[in-house]
Amino acid sequence: MNEHLEQTESSWKTGKRLYQYAVKCKGTIILALMMLSISVGADLIGPYIGKNMIDNHIMGIESPWVETKDTKDAVHYQGSTYKREAYVEDGEWTGSEVAIQQVGTTFLFLNQPIEFDGKRSYKDGQLVITSGEKRATYEAQKLSGAQIMAFYQPEISRIMQLLALYFGIMVVAFFFQYGQSYYLQKAANRIIQTMRKDVFAQIQRLPIRYFDNLPAGKVVARITNDTEAIRELYVRVLANFFSSTVNIIGIIIALFLLNVKLGMVTLIILPLLVGWTLLFRKFATKYNRVIRARISDINAMINESINGMNIIQAFKREKETTEEFEKLNTEHYVYQSKMQKLNSLLNGNLVGALRVITLTLFIWYFGGMAASGESVVSLGVLYAMVNYLNRLFHPISGIVNQFANFEQAMVAGERVFALLDEEGIDVEDQRKSRFKGHVEFDHVSFSYKEGEKVLRDIQFEASQGETIALVGHTGSGKSSIMNLLFRFYDYQEGAIRIDGIELKDIPHQTLREHMGIVLQDPYLFTGTILSNITLDDPKISREVAEKALRDVGADRVLAHLEHGFDEPVVEKGSTLSSGQRQLISFARALAFNPAILILDEATSSIDTETESLIQEAMEVLKKGRTTFIIAHRLSTIKSADQILVLDKGKIVERGNHDELMELKGKYYQMYELQIGKLAG
């Protein structure tokens, strides 16, 4: 019970937010729905035109006829002129009333009107009509084919007019149907464009901590698959629900106008439809949640497998990876099958059951009337009723068949809005003059998980223009210090200050505007070498970017490329060597001219020749800025002003290279081990 209430509440909240997105395009949506209403209304006029054509014109030949002198719409028969009573105007009626009756395929002319209608039979020039115990006999003359066509002649022009009217209405219906489809899709595309923009903007607002436990593939699924499912809600589900609702209401009104009792019978369908909907949603929401989750898991695994394909193949993990993928794929298939069974059981059978129930009641009612000899409906009314009853099940089927898409959209909406509701960091336009670069860590402690400290009581100062090196074994806390300095994470204890200002008091974007970073594994974006330097920042001109590349020696390493600095770069720069990628990353940092520079093991994966180029460029790069270097190659930090040795989240040694070598502690041991002179 509680689960059902939570599901209902969640669906209500999701629906409300989807409505809020729709409001942004309300003008287009309202226009589309108005055009849809006109299209549906025009389409519903068709059976009424058919009824009118049958009763008033095709079967109208059996209506009362009178003798007249007027020749318009009149028929000449046996020396007299006859005209349908419906077409006679005042003063035209000059003779007696006559009748035309049909028995099978035979048409008969009677010199008198009939008293009542019922079962007809014709033999030897006499027409016999019986209704229950009543019986009447009339003298009748059989009409030839030409005479029948003569009596039909006044109706042909009217039938053609009705056909033209019907055709015109269908053209109008087609025009408005096209218009509603175009504008509804236009609105849906605009809504999804806005939603995707919001989701992508939200991703960039989220703290790094959020992505620690959420694979990239799952995030991609939220932006692409889930928003596409929501798009179906606006394009198909909304249009189908609205048009079907208008259709059902219009058909029920039409049936009430034709026959009140039949209209009452069709109202039974509505509570059945509501009950069936609630039953469907009870299971569909649960299944769709699992389906959407497995799609995200599959996307995440595919993304991970592609990125790590060299490792998978190198370590012969293809079989295990395939089995892991197949497990996710099988679970997705199982729940898709459950959803398909639910659709087949409830959706298809629902429409079939309602159709049988309604038509059975219809036959029972009108068949009973005919059997009892009571007055029955005309052929035109019967045609309209059957037509409307058949039409009634198309919109019902349309609604029912969209239940699955509706549930998918609601579940997808929950997932998208859950991402949008994550607490993010607002982008601020606040600008601050360039930092001097004085950095102070004041008894800082930090943990990624509560109760598991990775930094303990970190305290040091870095003056403007100094180079600070951080060394230590893996897991000692070097990268965590840089994460705090960049505010990728916030510390729990102590304080970090830049130029005397508490780090937490500086907006993230303002802080990072004056900081640069070069990672161990540099990340390059799809574009060109030059665009990876400027990152499309208008403040960095081509000249500045090219100078930065020359300063780090990239002009020598990249000289062989066909397009030079305009050489295309594919995803992650996979066509470039690690040294080339690192030089581009260095040039990027130099072009942005940061006050504080962080080199996160930037030379650990570079060959000796390229490292010498970078070492030369680093001397230029470090001038006028405070530099933090995380290094495994201790030979690259011998000139650092201050070296901090970390162990298990604490600073255990500090000083310059010579001071630490004299101390003969951890730094000395690491240095001697690297150069191969560790004393036995």
Side-chain angles (χ1 to χ4, degrees), residues 249-321:
I249 294 172
I251 290 170
I252 290 176
I253 291 173
L255 288 173
F256 266 100
L257 293 174
L258 291 171
N259 188 283
V260 175
K261 290 183 179 180
L262 182 60
M264 294 294 291
V265 170
T266 56
L267 290 179
I268 299 173
I269 295 172
L270 301 182
L272 288 175
L273 190 60
V274 171
W276 220 298
T277 302
L278 295 175
L279 181 62
F280 178 85
R281 291 205 63 196
K282 180 180 179 181
F283 296 98
T285 300
K286 180 172 64 175
Y287 294 163
N288 275 311
R289 282 199 175 114
V290 177
I291 290 169
R292 306 309 299 182
R294 291 298 81 80
I295 289 175
S296 291
D297 293 338
I298 289 171
N299 280 342
M301 186 174 180
I302 291 173
N303 183 69
E304 186 179 66
S305 298
I306 291 173
N307 288 330
M309 190 57 68
N310 55 342
I311 301 299
I312 292 172
Q313 294 182 0
F315 287 90
K316 300 179 180 179
R317 302 299 297 172
E318 293 93 342
K319 182 180 178 181
E320 290 77 7
T321 304

Side-chain angles (χ1 to χ4, degrees), residues 338-607:
K338 289 183 178 181
M339 193 68 210
Q340 188 62 42
K341 289 177 183 177
L342 185 66
N343 279 329
S344 300
L345 177 64
L346 294 184
N347 290 4
N349 289 344
L350 168 63
V351 178
L354 291 176
R355 185 190 297 273
V356 170
I357 291 170
T358 307
L359 290 177
T360 300
L361 290 172
F362 176 78
I363 293 170
W364 170 78
Y365 175 68
F366 288 103
M369 288 181 64
S372 63
E374 298 178 24
S375 61
V376 292
V377 296
S378 67
L379 186 60
V381 171
L382 191 63
Y383 159 80
M385 283 183 174
V386 173
N387 195 304
Y388 279 129
L389 282 174
N390 278 325
R391 285 169 177 252
L392 180 63
F393 296 102
H394 289 295
I396 291 175
S397 179
I399 290 176
V400 170
N401 289 336
Q402 290 301 322
F403 281 165
N405 287 334
F406 176 76
E407 286 302 322
Q408 287 180 15
M410 295 302 287
V411 172
E414 287 180 15
R415 290 160 52 81
V416 170
F417 294 135
L419 178 60
L420 288 172
D421 288 339
E422 290 289 338
E423 186 176 352
I425 302 164
D426 292 329
V427 178
E428 298 185 23
D429 294 330
Q430 180 181 338
R431 292 288 181 265
K432 185 176 176 61
S433 57
R434 193 172 189 271
F435 293 140
K436 293 179 180 178
H438 183 86
V439 179
E440 178 186 0
F441 274 64
D442 185 4
H443 299 286
V444 173
S445 295
F446 167 69
S447 59
Y448 292 103
K449 297 180 180 178
E450 189 174 350
E452 299 179 14
K453 288 186 177 181
V454 294
L455 293 177
R456 304 170 186 270
D457 197 33
I458 301 297
Q459 184 175 12
F460 67 87
E461 286 190 37
S463 300
Q464 178 183 358
E466 280 191 342
T467 298
I468 310 297
L470 303 173
V471 300
H473 297 297
T474 300
S476 61
K478 306 183 299 295
S479 295
S480 295
I481 289 177
M482 299 302 98
N483 284 337
L484 295 184
L485 192 56
F486 251 94
R487 283 202 74 185
F488 290 147
Y489 300 86
D490 280 332
Y491 44 90
Q492 287 89 25
E493 299 175 25
I496 301 176
R497 302 181 187 89
I498 296 180
D499 296 345
I501 304 173
E502 169 74 37
L503 202 66
K504 292 180 179 178
D505 295 333
I506 306 174
H508 293 73
Q509 288 74 30
T510 306
L511 171 69
R512 294 167 189 166
E513 184 183 8
H514 303 294
M515 299 179 72
I517 189 169
V518 178
L519 299 171
Q520 178 181 3
D521 185 17
Y523 194 96
L524 300 185
F525 297 92
T526 302
T528 64
I529 291 175
L530 203 66
S531 71
N532 270 281
I533 303 300
T534 65
L535 296 181
D536 296 323
D537 189 329
K539 297 196 295 287
I540 301 176
S541 64
R542 183 183 182 92
E543 291 73 21
V544 170
E546 290 180 349
K547 184 178 185 302
L549 283 163
R550 287 193 295 271
D551 287 344
V552 299
D555 55 334
R556 285 173 280 173
V557 177
L558 302 174
H560 69 284
L561 297 177
E562 181 181 355
H563 301 286
F565 296 153
D566 292 311
E567 182 74 16
V569 175
V570 298
E571 184 180 9
K572 294 184 179 180
S574 56
T575 56
L576 301 172
S577 69
S578 58
Q580 290 172 328
R581 292 198 301 271
Q582 196 63 279
L583 282 170
I584 294 171
S585 183
F586 261 83
R588 178 195 294 162
L590 182 61
F592 276 83
N593 190 28
I596 299 171
L597 177 66
I598 297 172
L599 306 177
D600 188 354
E601 303 186 25
T603 60
S604 62
S605 60
I606 294 177
D607 57 86

